Amino acid sequence: MECPHSLSTKTSNWRLTGTTHRSQSSPAGELALGHISKTVYLKKQLHTPHSRQVPTIIRNHLSGMLPAQLKILAFSALNAWHLFKAKRRGVRLGERVVFYGSPLLRKHPDSTISVGGRVVLCSDSRFTALALNHPVKIATICAGASIVIGADSGISGACIVSAVRVSIGSNVLLGANVSIFDTDFHPTAPVGRRHSDKSADIKTAPVQIGDNVFVGTGAVIMRGTDIGRDSIVAAGSIVRGVFPAGAIIAGNPARVVGSVYNSDQIVSGQIADGENEDSDI
């Protein structure tokens, strides 16, 4: 006669499914088997060829037992630590700023970085729909540079670098892996380009992004760009120039292809090359 409490081949194949194997003997036997099934499950996972996944398996198993209040407390403590580190680096933070993950912050001693109230910086792919190539990076690289991010904006894995001024309005959405910079970083002249550090030889121009602008994933916004409020920048666009409020901007080089105020009339390819370009290159 088969013992219902023995660890038979049948028992070793049990898995956690939210219910325990029902014993025919007693409720106590049912609880015992439920405990055995969980133990065997963990043992089988620990002895698989993928033993390097053991810490993840244990963490996931335990995280399911943590009370929701404890998770909230842990997140709040971690967020407070990230905010403390940002302030220690001289970043000005508004009220109720939230960091998901740790951003990369680099501030020149004679520059300004200001983040408005209720801004969310997401540097962890677990907290956003798209995968992030890197944490949010915000850097001022020259004396006198400034980066200002308006209140209630949301930024996911963006890279924002300023040598002069980058101004981002309120309620702005920056999708995953957006890049914004106001400098060419290197001279255009070929001689000595690699090691030149003469700021006079490196072209710069301020970047201005108006309120309530939505910049799609992977877009690149280059020096001298001014985007009017309410505009949308399509994913992957390479943007440089001056664009009106409510513009739908797309392409490489980016052009106005429509308006959010009249989205039924999308125009494509009707704007002459260079019309939104103030480049002297």
Side-chain angles (χ1 to χ4, degrees), residues 120-151:
V120 175
L121 302 183
C122 182
S123 299
D124 189 328
S125 296
R126 293 175 297 177
F127 298 99
T128 185
L130 294 174
L132 307 180
N133 294 341
H134 49 70
V136 172
K137 179 171 184 177
I138 300 175
T140 50
I141 58 176
C142 295
S146 70
I147 295 175
V148 178
I149 301 171

Coordinates of all heavy atoms in Angstrom, one line a residue, residues 120-151:
V120 N 9.3 62.6 -12.4 CA 9.6 61.2 -12.2 C 10.8 60.8 -13.2 O 10.7 61.0 -14.4 CB 8.4 60.2 -12.5 CG1 8.8 58.8 -12.5 CG2 7.3 60.5 -11.5
L121 N 11.9 60.4 -12.6 CA 13.0 59.9 -13.4 C 13.1 58.4 -13.3 O 13.3 57.9 -12.2 CB 14.3 60.5 -12.9 CG 14.4 62.1 -12.9 CD1 15.8 62.5 -12.4 CD2 14.1 62.6 -14.2
C122 N 12.9 57.7 -14.4 CA 12.9 56.2 -14.4 C 14.2 55.7 -15.0 O 14.4 55.9 -16.2 CB 11.7 55.7 -15.1 SG 11.6 53.9 -15.1
S123 N 15.0 55.0 -14.2 CA 16.2 54.4 -14.6 C 16.2 52.9 -14.6 O 17.3 52.3 -14.7 CB 17.4 55.0 -13.8 OG 17.5 56.4 -13.9
D124 N 15.1 52.3 -14.4 CA 15.0 50.9 -14.2 C 13.9 50.4 -15.1 O 12.7 50.8 -15.0 CB 14.6 50.6 -12.7 CG 14.7 49.1 -12.4 OD1 14.4 48.3 -13.2 OD2 15.1 48.8 -11.2
S125 N 14.2 49.4 -16.0 CA 13.3 48.9 -17.0 C 12.1 48.2 -16.3 O 11.0 48.1 -17.0 CB 14.0 47.9 -17.9 OG 15.0 48.6 -18.7
R126 N 12.2 47.8 -15.1 CA 11.0 47.1 -14.4 C 9.9 48.1 -14.2 O 8.8 47.6 -13.9 CB 11.5 46.5 -13.1 CG 12.5 45.3 -13.3 CD 13.0 44.9 -11.9 NE 13.7 45.9 -11.2 CZ 14.2 45.7 -10.0 NH1 14.0 44.6 -9.3 NH2 14.9 46.7 -9.4
F127 N 10.1 49.4 -14.3 CA 9.1 50.3 -13.9 C 8.6 51.1 -15.1 O 7.9 52.1 -15.0 CB 9.6 51.3 -12.9 CG 10.0 50.7 -11.6 CD1 11.3 50.4 -11.3 CD2 9.0 50.4 -10.6 CE1 11.7 49.8 -10.1 CE2 9.4 49.8 -9.5 CZ 10.7 49.5 -9.2
T128 N 8.9 50.6 -16.3 CA 8.4 51.3 -17.6 C 8.1 50.2 -18.6 O 8.6 49.1 -18.6 CB 9.4 52.3 -18.1 OG1 8.9 53.0 -19.2 CG2 10.7 51.6 -18.5
A129 N 7.3 50.6 -19.6 CA 6.8 49.6 -20.6 C 8.0 49.2 -21.5 O 8.0 48.0 -21.9 CB 5.7 50.2 -21.4
L130 N 8.9 50.1 -21.8 CA 10.0 49.8 -22.8 C 11.2 49.5 -22.0 O 11.4 49.9 -20.8 CB 10.2 51.0 -23.7 CG 9.1 51.3 -24.7 CD1 9.4 52.6 -25.5 CD2 8.9 50.1 -25.6
A131 N 12.2 48.8 -22.6 CA 13.5 48.5 -22.0 C 14.4 49.7 -22.1 O 14.4 50.4 -23.2 CB 14.1 47.3 -22.6
L132 N 15.1 50.0 -21.1 CA 16.0 51.2 -21.1 C 17.4 50.7 -21.4 O 17.9 49.7 -20.9 CB 16.0 51.9 -19.7 CG 14.6 52.3 -19.2 CD1 14.7 53.0 -17.9 CD2 13.9 53.2 -20.3
N133 N 18.1 51.4 -22.3 CA 19.5 51.1 -22.6 C 20.4 51.5 -21.5 O 21.5 50.9 -21.4 CB 19.9 51.8 -23.9 CG 19.2 51.3 -25.1 OD1 18.6 50.2 -25.1 ND2 19.2 52.1 -26.2
H134 N 20.0 52.5 -20.7 CA 20.9 53.0 -19.6 C 20.0 53.8 -18.6 O 18.9 54.1 -18.9 CB 22.0 53.8 -20.2 CG 21.5 54.9 -21.1 ND1 20.7 56.0 -20.7 CD2 21.6 55.0 -22.5 CE1 20.4 56.7 -21.8 NE2 20.9 56.1 -22.9
P135 N 20.5 54.0 -17.4 CA 19.8 54.9 -16.5 C 19.7 56.3 -17.1 O 20.4 56.7 -18.0 CB 20.7 54.9 -15.2 CG 21.6 53.8 -15.4 CD 21.8 53.5 -16.9
V136 N 18.8 57.1 -16.5 CA 18.7 58.5 -16.8 C 20.1 59.1 -16.5 O 20.6 58.9 -15.5 CB 17.6 59.2 -16.0 CG1 17.7 60.8 -16.2 CG2 16.2 58.7 -16.4
K137 N 20.6 59.9 -17.5 CA 21.8 60.7 -17.3 C 21.6 62.1 -17.5 O 21.0 62.5 -18.5 CB 22.9 60.2 -18.2 CG 24.2 61.0 -18.0 CD 25.4 60.4 -18.7 CE 26.7 61.2 -18.4 NZ 27.9 60.7 -19.0
I138 N 21.9 62.9 -16.5 CA 21.8 64.4 -16.6 C 23.2 65.0 -16.2 O 23.7 64.7 -15.2 CB 20.7 64.9 -15.6 CG1 19.4 64.3 -15.9 CG2 20.7 66.4 -15.6 CD1 18.3 64.6 -14.9
A139 N 23.7 65.7 -17.2 CA 25.1 66.2 -17.0 C 25.3 67.6 -17.5 O 24.8 68.0 -18.6 CB 26.1 65.3 -17.7
T140 N 25.9 68.5 -16.7 CA 26.4 69.8 -17.2 C 27.9 69.7 -17.3 O 28.6 69.3 -16.3 CB 26.0 70.9 -16.2 OG1 26.3 70.5 -14.9 CG2 24.5 71.1 -16.3
I141 N 28.5 70.0 -18.4 CA 29.9 69.8 -18.7 C 30.8 71.0 -18.7 O 32.0 70.9 -18.9 CB 30.1 68.9 -19.9 CG1 29.5 69.6 -21.2 CG2 29.4 67.5 -19.7 CD1 29.7 68.9 -22.5
C142 N 30.1 72.2 -18.6 CA 30.9 73.4 -18.7 C 30.4 74.4 -17.7 O 29.3 74.3 -17.2 CB 30.8 74.1 -20.1 SG 31.4 73.1 -21.5
A143 N 31.3 75.3 -17.3 CA 30.9 76.4 -16.4 C 29.8 77.2 -17.0 O 29.9 77.6 -18.2 CB 32.1 77.3 -16.0
G144 N 28.8 77.6 -16.2 CA 27.7 78.4 -16.7 C 26.6 77.6 -17.3 O 25.6 78.2 -17.6
A145 N 26.8 76.3 -17.5 CA 25.7 75.5 -18.1 C 24.6 75.3 -17.2 O 24.7 75.4 -15.9 CB 26.3 74.1 -18.5
S146 N 23.4 75.1 -17.8 CA 22.2 74.8 -16.9 C 21.3 73.9 -17.6 O 21.1 73.8 -18.8 CB 21.5 76.1 -16.6 OG 20.8 76.6 -17.8
I147 N 20.7 73.0 -16.7 CA 19.6 72.1 -17.2 C 18.4 72.3 -16.2 O 18.6 72.2 -15.0 CB 20.0 70.6 -17.1 CG1 21.2 70.4 -18.1 CG2 18.8 69.7 -17.4 CD1 21.7 69.0 -18.0
V148 N 17.3 72.7 -16.8 CA 16.1 72.9 -16.0 C 15.0 72.0 -16.6 O 14.7 72.0 -17.8 CB 15.6 74.4 -16.1 CG1 14.3 74.6 -15.4 CG2 16.7 75.3 -15.6
I149 N 14.4 71.2 -15.7 CA 13.3 70.3 -16.0 C 12.1 70.8 -15.3 O 12.1 70.9 -14.0 CB 13.7 68.9 -15.6 CG1 14.9 68.4 -16.4 CG2 12.5 67.9 -16.0 CD1 15.5 67.1 -15.9
G150 N 11.0 71.1 -16.0 CA 9.8 71.6 -15.4 C 9.0 70.6 -14.6 O 9.2 69.4 -14.7
A151 N 8.1 71.1 -13.8 CA 7.3 70.3 -12.9 C 6.4 69.2 -13.7 O 6.0 69.5 -14.8 CB 6.4 71.1 -12.1

